[in-house]
């Protein structure tokens, strides 16, 4: 059976600064990742997505790139990257890089040239607008605070930056920019990377007339950009043509994947739009990250919405967390059944129809770490403090064992380690058959061996409003998944369900299914 590998894959996100340090500077690097490949192979993930590792002044920790074609010395060298690629491939794991083409760093040679004058060869590579000092071109706000416009004395013009001012937005309306981006994609394809994650891909184009974003009536958030419908600086229709161009290039190579980060308030319909045939292979579905209640209904609704829209036209994906959002187990911090609740959500992620993304440390049940203001480094946190806590809490070092600095680094890590690392670490959990880590490994293994889970149809089943249940079916294989999102116990006398007698997995180690479903139980059943 020939099928795109990424449909069946579990994709593991590594935030390289926080995974493993090998040279003792307190910051993770490529050699560190190479040294931990055995672990990733043991866990059973199919592909690694690395947050940006390219040259960068690190104003946004790598999402401000100053050279798309080279590795930042902090992370290593191009040779280290090639070795990582080769060693991952030897272990049957793919490698996906993260490219940021909405903006560059202000230290990128393109911008250094562009800012020199109004008539240099790259003068039109960024979005420059005439205006007067102190009179902004329009009402667009930057995501990390303040207006999206920065005044440049030399050019006596404003330039646009949707993130920090050191991240000027590229002008995608200039064909030379598009060509330079395509050349950069080609460089990595030729090197053999297995795919790309495209940062804020829905923001590449902006309204040509730079119209003001409409104000949301009655909303007065202290975070300015929340007060506007971002219809003119985001989600412009031309962006879809850009991703089609990207697809034309990438599909000339075998077996590569394209994944879009579509940060759109439209949610699922926007993810669908970007993953339609001829566009990207997938767009992250971020909807689960927005659900605050631990309850079956909102999850069921989101799954239904995705299934209805995507059908067999586009391939879904699901996400519970990433480097931009609070780690999901944090929500259950003080609950007595925390681990079981985490297992309910993790099992859902890994058994739905769609590619799951697992953020490093999720497999340990890692929670956010409180980072005091003095230790904060994320510009979002610093600029919005105390209105928002920023993204440092979910980016703290991986917890490998109970040794010095959890064996992440010989020096003080760039962000504080969780105080819980002495108990909660890879080594302890590997040695404990009942740990979260071994649970994740078991579900990943189960998924690997089941075409029904990887590729089969999904049918939602009603058992009770607090239970999320679905059937996965592929040829002769049929599996029933039951997830109890409550403290209550249930018994079902539904004969259709009682037909599934064999327990493939239960987080209560149940051996036979006779209709009883315990609180926060996960049941994966076969006939
Ligand atoms: C989205 C990335 O996920 C985030 O970490 C980054 O700060 C912004 N894009 C800007 O590149």
């Amino acid at each position: 059976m020939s099928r795109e590998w990424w449909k069946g894959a579990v994709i593991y996100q590594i935030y390289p600064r926080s995974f493993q340090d090998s040279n003792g500077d307190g910051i993770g690097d490529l050699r560190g990742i190479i040294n931990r490949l055995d672990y990733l192979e043991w866990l059973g993930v199919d592909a690694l997505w690395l947050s940006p590792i390219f040259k960068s002044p690190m104003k946004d920790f790598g999402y401000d790139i100053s050279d798309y074609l080279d590795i930042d010395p902090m992370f290593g060298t191009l040779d280290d990257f090639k070795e990582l690629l080769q060693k991952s491939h030897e272990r049957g794991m793919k490698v996906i890089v993260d490219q940021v083409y909405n903006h560059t760093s202000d230290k990128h040679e393109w911008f250094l040239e562009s800012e020199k004058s109004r008539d240099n060869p790259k003068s039109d590579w960024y979005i420059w607008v005439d205006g007067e000092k102190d009179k902004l071109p329009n009402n667009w706000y930057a995501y990390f605070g303040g207006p999206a416009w920065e005044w440049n004395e030399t050019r006596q013009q404003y330039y646009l930056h949707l993130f920090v001012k050191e991240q000027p937005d590229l002008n995608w309306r200039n064909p030379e920019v598009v060509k330079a981006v395509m050349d950069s994609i080609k460089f990595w394809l030729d090197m053999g990377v297995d795919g790309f994650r495209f940062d804020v891909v829905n923001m590449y184009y902006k309204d040509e007339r730079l119209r003001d974003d409409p104000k949301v009536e009655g909303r007065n958030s202290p975070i300015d950009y929340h007060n506007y419908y971002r219809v003119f600086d985001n989600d412009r229709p031309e962006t879809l043509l850009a991703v089609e161009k990207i697809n034309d290039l990438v599909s000339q190579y075998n077996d590569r994947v394209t994944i879009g980060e579509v940060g759109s308030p439209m949610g699922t319909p926007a993810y669908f739009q970007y993953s339609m045939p001829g566009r990207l292979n997938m767009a992250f579905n971020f909807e689960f990250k927005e659900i605050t209640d631990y309850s079956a209904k909102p999850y069921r609704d989101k799954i239904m919405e995705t299934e209805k829209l995507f059908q067999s036209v586009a391939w879904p994906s699901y996400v519970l967390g990433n480097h931009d959002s609070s780690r999901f187990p944090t929500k259950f911090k003080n609950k007595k059944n925390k681990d079981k609740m985490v297992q309910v959500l993790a099992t859902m992620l890994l058994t739905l129809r769609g590619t799951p993304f697992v953020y490093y440390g999720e497999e340990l049940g890692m929670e956010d770490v409180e980072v005091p203001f003095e230790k904060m480094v994320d510009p979002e946190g610093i600029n919005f403090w105390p209105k928002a806590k920023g993204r440092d809490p979910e980016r703290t070092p991986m917890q490998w064992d109970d040794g010095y600095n959890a064996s992440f680094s010989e020096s003080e890590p760039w962000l504080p380690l969780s105080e819980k690392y002495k108990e909660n670490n890879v080594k302890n959990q590997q040695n404990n058959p009942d740990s979260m880590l071994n649970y994740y490994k078991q579900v990943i293994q189960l998924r690997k061996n089941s075409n029904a889970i990887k590729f089969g149809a999904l049918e939602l089943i009603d058992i009770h409003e607090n239970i999320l249940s679905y059937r996965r079916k592929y040829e002769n294989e049929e599996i029933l998944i039951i997830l109890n999102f409550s403290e209550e116990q249930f018994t079902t006398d539904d004969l259709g369900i009682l037909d599934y007698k064999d327990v493939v997995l239960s987080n209560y180690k149940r051996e036979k299914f006779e209709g009883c479903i315990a609180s926060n139980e996960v049941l994966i059943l076969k006939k």
Side-chain angles (χ1 to χ4, degrees), residues 61-109:
F61 301 103
Y63 284 91
D64 50 322
I65 298 177
S66 56
D67 186 349
Y68 289 113
L69 310 183
D70 206 355
I71 305 294
D72 195 279
M74 186 179 275
F75 295 127
T77 62
L78 262 180
D79 281 340
D80 292 334
F81 180 73
K82 287 180 191 159
E83 187 180 329
L84 169 60
L85 199 56
Q86 190 204 332
K87 292 198 162 147
S88 305
H89 287 169
E90 282 165 12
R91 288 168 164 81
M93 290 184 290
K94 312 267 188 190
V95 177
I96 297 165
V97 292
D98 195 335
Q99 278 292 14
V100 186
Y101 296 127
N102 174 69
H103 44 269
T104 67
S105 153
D106 64 342
K107 298 292 180 281
H108 194 293
E109 62 174 29

Side-chain angles (χ1 to χ4, degrees), residues 452-470:
I453 297 183
K454 285 188 289 192
F455 312 120
L458 180 145
E459 185 195 348
L460 285 160
I461 313 267
D462 282 331
I463 298 181
H464 184 274
E465 61 176 0
N466 291 337
I467 294 180
L468 174 64
S469 177
Y470 41 91

Side-chain angles (χ1 to χ4, degrees), residues 13 15 49 51-52 60-64 98 100 102-103 143-144 162-164 167 197 199-200 203 261 286 322-324 378-379 391 395:
Q13 181 189 358
Y15 194 70
W49 146 33
S51 279
D60 188 17
F61 301 103
Y63 284 91
D64 50 322
D98 195 335
V100 186
N102 174 69
H103 44 269
Y143 284 98
F144 298 149
L162 291 186
F163 295 90
V164 290
Q167 288 168 302
R197 176 242 187 217
D199 191 68
V200 291
M203 300 183 192
E261 187 209 19
F286 290 137
N322 65 17
H323 63 295
D324 292 330
D378 174 31
R391 301 167 296 176
R395 297 176 175 179

Side-chain angles (χ1 to χ4, degrees), residues 264-269 271 284-291 299 302 305-306 319:
S264 170
M266 285 187 294
T268 311
Y271 311 140
F284 297 112
N285 186 330
F286 290 137
E287 296 295 83
F288 290 163
K289 293 202 301 158
E290 308 304 319
I291 299 175
Y299 289 99
K302 289 296 172 195
E305 186 189 13
T306 305
V319 172

Side-chain angles (χ1 to χ4, degrees), residues 258-282:
T258 54
I259 308 155
E261 187 209 19
V262 176
S264 170
M266 285 187 294
T268 311
Y271 311 140
F272 175 66
Q273 232 184 14
Y274 277 83
S275 40
M276 276 167 69
R279 295 182 181 159
L280 301 175
N281 295 132
M282 293 184 274

Side-chain angles (χ1 to χ4, degrees), residues 109-111 113-115 117 119-126 128 155 174 176:
E109 62 174 29
W110 301 344
F111 190 77
E113 179 68 26
S114 192
E115 70 175 347
S117 64
D119 56 6
N120 69 75
K122 296 206 164 40
S123 58
D124 194 27
W125 280 44
Y126 293 83
W128 293 99
R155 287 185 56 146
N174 182 338
E176 289 174 18

Side-chain angles (χ1 to χ4, degrees), residues 10-15 18-20 36-45 47-48 93 320-322 327-330 338-339 342-343 345-347 349-350 356-367 394 396-401 423-445:
V10 173
I11 303 182
Y12 186 90
Q13 181 189 358
I14 293 181
Y15 194 70
S18 297
F19 201 61
Q20 177 66 60
R36 293 295 185 183
L37 286 176
D38 284 347
Y39 165 72
L40 296 162
E41 188 183 4
W42 172 87
L43 181 60
V45 296
L48 314 177
M93 290 184 290
L320 286 171
N322 65 17
R327 289 184 176 275
F328 78 89
T330 316
K338 180 197 148 194
D339 281 0
V342 171
Q343 287 166 349
L345 287 182
T347 313
L349 177 80
L350 293 164
F357 289 83
V358 173
Y359 183 50
Y360 84 96
E362 230 164 71
E363 73 275 24
L364 303 177
M366 264 173 79
E367 294 166 6
E394 60 261 21
T396 61
M398 182 67 171
Q399 299 156 204
W400 293 105
D401 57 36
E423 303 81 54
N424 188 11
N425 59 58
V426 170
K427 194 166 168 210
N428 270 355
Q429 292 211 28
Q430 276 183 321
N431 292 333
N432 173 3
D434 294 331
S435 67
M436 187 63 78
L437 178 57
N438 275 311
Y439 183 83
Y440 261 82
K441 180 174 158 69
Q442 198 185 348
V443 186
I444 291 172
Q445 213 49 51

